[in-house]
Amino acid sequence: MKLYSYFRSSASYRVRIALALKGLPYEYAAVHLLKGGGQQLASVYRELNPDGLVPTLEDGSQILTQSLAIIEYLDEICPDPPLLPSAPADRAYVRSVALQVACEIHPVNNLRVIQYLKKRLNISEEQRSEWYQHWIDVGFSSLESRLSSEHRVGDFVFGSTPTIADLCLVPQVWNARRFEIPLNRYPTISRLAANAMALDGFAQAEPSKQPDTAS
Amino acid sequence: MKLYSYFRSSASYRVRIALALKGLPYEYAAVHLLKGGGQQLASVYRELNPDGLVPTLEDGSQILTQSLAIIEYLDEICPDPPLLPSAPADRAYVRSVALQVACEIHPVNNLRVIQYLKKRLNISEEQRSEWYQHWIDVGFSSLESRLSSEHRVGDFVFGSTPTIADLCLVPQVWNARRFEIPLNRYPTISRLAANAMALDGFAQAEPSKQPDTAS
């Protein structure tokens, strides 16, 4: 397998965790999101991924895009350890937590949205920070409220092993810390992220440990 | 089952299509996103759905949120007709198309984001329209490029029956039309949406035919 990834991309980070937890070896193809106007927008990469987004996973002749679709694929072709529970209602629960991060928090703070705000709407650096913090706070507040009263929460979002929900939560927490957003109002989220980050698979996938780190 | 829905919400619309295609009866609970400052933000609704978003599906004691998680749940408890193909790579393909809409296009143009742009960043009506059209165009351009060269596309995104991908595509096309965004540059998307909209299940779920339409 070959993963097109950018060390700081949280969608890439999610897939790196899945590959690491399942012990699947892969070639790392770095796609720099800022250099040369963004390598993800170059025509050679867009032939693979017309969205011009990372990650992309090549598995033989298969070209896979969208991190959550890639993770579900990896879970289907390599079920051990499972990244989803077995009962439909529990699967819906962990998927919904993953989607709360992937649909409600992450897209609004994505690089291209921030660039539009700066270049087309001329917002100030202060307004940009407020925007970023606002959507993290909106998303984390409702997620904290949900997880703090959810009986299925254990050491991880679902019980005692990580699922697709933890794979989305950890990169979002990592991003929030990078932008120095205080997380003390989110004790459940912080605890769950710390538990996950202590696992080898999560640690290996960390942005600071990739071939293209700080390149 | 009981579906908390708003007639114009495209995430609600996706779930209504799934319920209709599978022939599952449900009680419709209208949640008005604009009246009284937004009924989705009222504390009684946020006990069900801390995100303050629609839809929410109640199935017995289960409370399910996030449209894509709900659709996968419905497909697991009621597999006929299936909304996902059987091979892992094909499942990843239809999920990735669904996620291209659900993560890349829809969140950036969501009501609460538009409200932030208007109220906090004081953008003009013209800038708001440009923003809306920009993200539709960015998303539809890459999706058109992908689907127009994808051999798995048939009458629907995958072959000859609708999948979760069509369930996401149709509401996004409906939204684009509502904002009078020209779709002639997206002939594949337009053709696929027209084929889907011609099916009974899609027609029943249409925003103009709900109990709370234009309320």
Side-chain angles (χ1 to χ4, degrees):
Chain A
M1 292 191 196
K2 184 172 180 178
L3 181 69
Y4 295 81
S5 167
Y6 178 57
F7 73 110
R8 265 203 301 244
S9 143
S10 60
S12 301
Y13 188 179
R14 295 172 197 155
V15 174
R16 293 195 305 259
I17 301 168
L19 289 162
L21 289 174
K22 291 183 178 288
L24 292 166
Y26 61 97
E27 181 187 344
Y28 190 103
V31 180
H32 202 294
L33 300 195
L34 299 170
K35 274 190 190 161
Q39 294 175 350
Q40 77 281 14
L41 302 177
S43 57
V44 58
Y45 182 71
R46 293 195 93 151
E47 278 181 29
L48 276 181
N49 185 329
D51 260 345
L53 297 170
V54 285
T56 301
L57 184 73
E58 270 186 32
D59 184 15
S61 63
Q62 303 297 336
I63 309 289
L64 308 164
T65 61
Q66 286 291 337
S67 60
L68 296 188
I70 295 172
I71 294 166
E72 296 253 6
Y73 170 82
L74 293 172
D75 206 43
E76 289 174 2
I77 62 162
C78 176
D80 190 41
L83 297 176
L84 285 163
S86 51
D90 294 334
R91 294 163 71 82
Y93 159 61
V94 301
R95 282 184 175 128
S96 72
V97 172
L99 289 162
Q100 271 187 274
V101 174
C103 294
E104 311 306 338
I105 305 176
H106 181 248
V108 190
N109 282 341
N110 212 347
L111 177 65
R112 62 187 188 181
V113 174
I114 301 295
Q115 284 177 338
Y116 187 105
L117 289 168
K118 280 203 250 187
K119 291 178 188 170
R120 301 268 290 259
L121 297 177
N122 298 310
I123 69 164
S124 66
E125 196 56 32
E126 192 186 339
Q127 286 173 315
R128 191 203 61 76
S129 294
E130 279 173 12
W131 170 278
Y132 198 96
Q133 173 139 10
H134 176 80
W135 297 112
I136 295 269
D137 280 336
V138 165
F140 274 8
S141 295
S142 52
L143 200 51
E144 178 68 28
S145 156
R146 183 177 183 198
L147 296 174
S148 65
S149 62
E150 169 58 58
H151 71 279
R152 286 170 285 200
V153 167
D155 286 341
F156 298 91
V157 173
F158 180 81
S160 57
T161 53
T163 62
I164 194 168
D166 305 278
L167 270 58
C168 289
L169 194 61
V170 162
Q172 193 62 60
V173 166
W174 188 89
N175 264 349
R177 288 207 182 118
R178 182 179 159 223
F179 287 95
E180 298 178 352
I181 292 167
L183 296 177
N184 49 329
R185 288 195 287 143
Y186 314 116
T188 313
I189 290 172
S190 301
R191 177 179 69 79
L192 295 173
N195 289 341
M197 283 168 157
L199 297 181
D200 276 352
F202 284 76
Q204 285 167 35
E206 232 257 346
S208 66
K209 291 172 191 157
Q210 302 315 306
D212 58 335
T213 298
S215 65
Chain B
M1 293 190 196
K2 183 173 181 178
L3 181 69
Y4 294 82
S5 167
Y6 178 57
F7 72 110
R8 265 203 301 245
S9 143
S10 59
S12 301
Y13 188 179
R14 295 172 197 155
V15 174
R16 293 195 305 258
I17 300 169
L19 289 162
L21 288 174
K22 290 182 180 290
L24 291 165
Y26 61 97
E27 180 186 346
Y28 190 104
V31 180
H32 202 294
L33 300 195
L34 299 169
K35 275 192 190 159
Q39 292 175 351
Q40 77 281 14
L41 303 176
S43 58
V44 59
Y45 182 71
R46 293 196 92 152
E47 277 180 30
L48 276 181
N49 185 328
D51 261 345
L53 297 170
V54 285
T56 301
L57 183 75
E58 270 185 32
D59 184 17
S61 63
Q62 304 297 337
I63 309 289
L64 308 164
T65 61
Q66 287 291 335
S67 60
L68 296 188
I70 295 172
I71 293 166
E72 296 253 5
Y73 170 83
L74 293 172
D75 206 44
E76 290 175 1
I77 62 162
C78 176
D80 191 41
L83 296 177
L84 285 163
S86 51
D90 293 334
R91 294 163 72 83
Y93 158 62
V94 301
R95 282 184 175 128
S96 73
V97 172
L99 289 162
Q100 271 187 275
V101 174
C103 294
E104 311 305 339
I105 305 176
H106 180 248
V108 190
N109 282 341
N110 211 347
L111 178 65
R112 62 188 187 180
V113 174
I114 301 294
Q115 285 178 336
Y116 188 104
L117 288 169
K118 280 203 249 187
K119 291 179 187 169
R120 301 269 290 261
L121 298 177
N122 298 309
I123 68 165
S124 66
E125 197 55 34
E126 191 186 342
Q127 287 173 316
R128 191 202 62 74
S129 293
E130 279 173 10
W131 169 279
Y132 198 95
Q133 172 140 10
H134 175 80
W135 298 113
I136 295 267
D137 280 334
V138 165
F140 274 9
S141 296
S142 52
L143 200 51
E144 177 68 28
S145 155
R146 184 178 183 197
L147 295 175
S148 65
S149 62
E150 167 59 57
H151 70 280
R152 286 170 286 199
V153 167
D155 286 341
F156 298 91
V157 173
F158 180 82
S160 58
T161 53
T163 63
I164 193 169
D166 305 279
L167 270 58
C168 289
L169 194 61
V170 161
Q172 194 61 64
V173 166
W174 188 89
N175 263 349
R177 289 205 182 119
R178 181 179 159 225
F179 286 96
E180 299 177 354
I181 292 168
L183 295 178
N184 50 330
R185 287 195 290 143
Y186 314 118
T188 313
I189 290 173
S190 301
R191 177 178 70 81
L192 295 172
N195 288 341
M197 283 168 157
L199 297 182
D200 275 353
F202 284 76
Q204 285 168 35
E206 233 257 345
S208 66
K209 292 173 191 157
Q210 304 314 306
D212 59 337
T213 298
S215 67

